[in-house]
Amino acid sequence: MPPITCSDIHSNMMRSKRWAFVLLALIIGIGIGLIYGWVIDPVEFYDLTPDTLRADYKADYVLMVAEAYRLEQDPALAAQRLAIFGAQSPSSIAAEGLNYARANGFSDADIALIQELVIAMQSWSGIFP
Amino acid sequence: MKQFPWDILLALLAGLGLGLVYSWLISPVRVYDSEPAALRADFKDQYRTVIAAAYAATGNLPRAQARLSLLKDPNPIEALNAQAQRTLASGGSLTQADQLAALALALQTGTNLLPVSTPHIENTEPSSPTFPPTFTPIPTDVFFTPSETPEIIETPSPEPVINIPTPRPTRTPVPTVGAPFALIAQDTLCDPNLPDGLLQVMVFGANRRQLPGVKIIITWETGEEQFFTGLKPELGNGYADFLMRPDTIYTVQLAAGSDIAANLVAPSCQSPSGETFLGSIKLTFQQP
């Protein structure tokens, strides 16, 4: 077994130091990549589905359906319009809109309209013509 | 001479790549609280349809405008007209097309052509309403509410009442809008190059610009048909046509209200070669 010289020890230390720098560079690189990808230039989303809409837009949509329902009195059409939000039942979508409207100071007339829609959706048979 | 630290640079780049792969592909920023403008085109169409239906029900043009602005269409009127035409072309609901066209027309003319049946809304922007409710909230449980229009109960309070109850909205019939479009010209054309019995209708706004999406109602003894301007944009946004049958008397009117062009019969014309053919009639409507 050859004797360990001072030169060998120095060389080993240099090598580990180098690896530490490489590891540090890798971590810094990942960090920069994440910041760039999440903050500076995040993935741009378009062609979204309505279930991603902000709660106030959802509530306003429910209100629109309620306004139209008041005139049309067609629960199947109203349900079809509410179905845009996906898997939830039309009555629960309308009820969510009603809760939002109550909690956020919608006018009484608007609340009454949504309430009418909720009742219609609850009593609707669920059969589209 | 000191060696360039390629390994460190390589590690930095590899890390950057890994970071981007993770942040763009594996775990991109989650989407929630999106705006209507980011919706897929078919959902935007649905949104527009519901806006138009709500407008048809309430006649509230500022609210419809505020809602349409959420979609950030470069030209909302064009978007509505185009959708109305697509709906008709695909054999969709005539009512929907009509509502879309009516909203487009109302936006174009800047006048509300429908009766307003709901009270003024304080905040047209749907987000962050500023006015708190003036009444005690209606009980959450509406599942067994017997009435379709529940009564609003004021909070019993020993203090003087500071909230004045707003009258309930009533659907009072509003007189129909008068005749915003006048029949300014009715011409008979004997042009053998035109299809036989062609009825041409041109509709102009008050600013003399052609109006697309205007519904025209044509009636005759045994039937009625509706058609819209703007379906042949190459002939003008305010252009529409209809083929008249021989020996049939037609009456034409714009659905939004107009003078009535009555007793229209395809004229009999003669070509230079002596041949007889059915001529055309051209009607021009304009808002005064």
Side-chain angles (χ1 to χ4, degrees):
Chain A
M1 189 175 170
I4 297 167
T5 62
C6 284
S7 162
D8 289 340
I9 294 167
H10 181 73
S11 172
N12 279 343
M13 277 179 66
M14 285 299 288
R15 202 172 297 138
S16 349
K17 208 172 169 185
R18 190 90 181 165
W19 273 111
F21 274 123
V22 168
L23 195 66
L24 191 68
L26 189 73
I27 292 166
I28 290 171
I30 290 174
I32 293 171
L34 289 178
I35 290 168
Y36 191 84
W38 277 340
V39 182
I40 298 169
D41 183 22
V43 177
E44 276 187 32
F45 289 94
Y46 53 92
D47 287 356
L48 297 179
T49 50
D51 58 298
T52 60
L53 283 177
R54 214 167 61 199
D56 54 344
Y57 294 128
K58 280 185 185 174
D60 189 54
Y61 184 90
V62 171
L63 175 59
M64 285 193 275
V65 174
E67 287 171 340
Y69 174 73
R70 170 65 71 87
L71 178 76
E72 296 161 343
Q73 292 297 309
D74 184 347
L77 182 59
Q80 200 177 0
R81 285 171 172 160
L82 291 173
I84 194 173
F85 289 116
Q88 277 179 290
S89 70
S91 62
S92 59
I93 293 166
E96 272 181 19
L98 179 62
N99 289 338
Y100 184 92
R102 280 175 179 157
N104 290 275
F106 277 40
S107 73
D108 297 314
D110 290 343
I111 289 173
L113 280 172
I114 301 177
Q115 211 160 14
E116 194 180 327
L117 178 69
V118 172
I119 293 163
M121 290 299 96
Q122 282 166 356
S123 53
W124 177 58
S125 63
I127 299 164
F128 287 101
Chain B
M1 190 177 160
K2 203 168 182 180
Q3 199 188 352
F4 187 80
W6 288 108
D7 48 354
I8 293 174
L9 186 68
L10 199 68
L12 191 73
L13 290 175
L16 186 71
L18 285 173
L20 287 177
V21 166
Y22 190 81
S23 59
W24 279 347
L25 300 176
I26 299 170
S27 174
V29 176
R30 280 190 63 200
V31 183
Y32 54 92
D33 287 356
S34 69
E35 296 190 354
L39 291 176
R40 211 169 63 198
D42 54 337
F43 291 125
K44 277 188 178 180
D45 280 357
Q46 169 86 4
Y47 207 95
R48 249 181 246 110
T49 302
V50 177
I51 292 172
Y55 169 69
T58 64
N60 193 329
L61 190 58
R63 184 177 257 196
Q65 271 177 312
R67 283 166 170 166
L68 276 175
S69 69
L70 299 174
L71 292 171
K72 294 184 181 161
D73 291 318
N75 186 337
I77 297 169
E78 261 181 30
L80 286 165
N81 279 321
Q83 192 180 332
Q85 289 169 22
R86 278 200 308 273
T87 306
L88 284 177
S90 63
S93 157
L94 188 66
T95 311
Q96 272 182 20
D98 192 18
Q99 288 171 341
L100 289 161
L103 179 55
L105 183 62
L107 289 171
Q108 180 119 25
T109 56
T111 52
N112 200 355
L113 301 173
L114 294 170
V116 179
S117 62
T118 54
H120 174 70
I121 288 121
E122 296 86 346
N123 47 329
T124 51
E125 190 65 38
S127 57
S128 58
T130 48
F131 300 99
T134 50
F135 296 105
T136 306
I138 304 162
T140 323
D141 183 13
V142 293
F143 292 81
F144 303 107
T145 313
S147 162
E148 286 197 347
T149 50
E151 288 291 317
I152 291 165
I153 303 155
E154 285 185 349
T155 315
S157 165
E159 293 169 18
V161 178
I162 53 166
N163 297 323
I164 301 160
T166 319
R168 306 296 301 157
T170 51
R171 190 170 290 277
T172 44
V174 175
T176 46
V177 183
F181 291 91
L183 179 65
I184 59 167
Q186 180 175 333
D187 306 306
T188 301
L189 308 170
C190 280
D191 184 348
N193 296 320
L194 291 174
D196 280 6
L198 186 71
L199 173 71
Q200 298 173 297
V201 180
M202 292 295 297
V203 181
F204 294 90
N207 53 4
R208 297 218 30 93
R209 290 181 65 181
Q210 296 190 26
L211 296 179
V214 178
K215 186 162 84 170
I216 302 158
I217 302 168
I218 184 162
T219 52
W220 59 98
E221 199 180 13
T222 54
E224 177 184 310
E225 204 163 302
Q226 297 169 349
F227 55 109
F228 290 84
T229 59
L231 293 175
K232 294 180 179 173
E234 70 278 8
L235 297 174
N237 281 333
Y239 175 87
D241 61 26
F242 178 85
L243 281 180
M244 297 183 285
R245 286 190 289 266
D247 304 323
T248 307
I249 301 168
Y250 295 94
T251 301
V252 172
Q253 188 182 11
L254 303 190
S258 71
D259 291 340
I260 297 169
N263 299 320
L264 301 172
V265 182
S268 184
C269 298
Q270 212 165 26
S271 66
S273 59
E275 244 178 277
T276 307
F277 66 96
L278 281 180
S280 308
I281 294 176
K282 186 177 178 185
L283 303 174
T284 307
F285 290 92
Q286 193 188 339
Q287 279 185 314

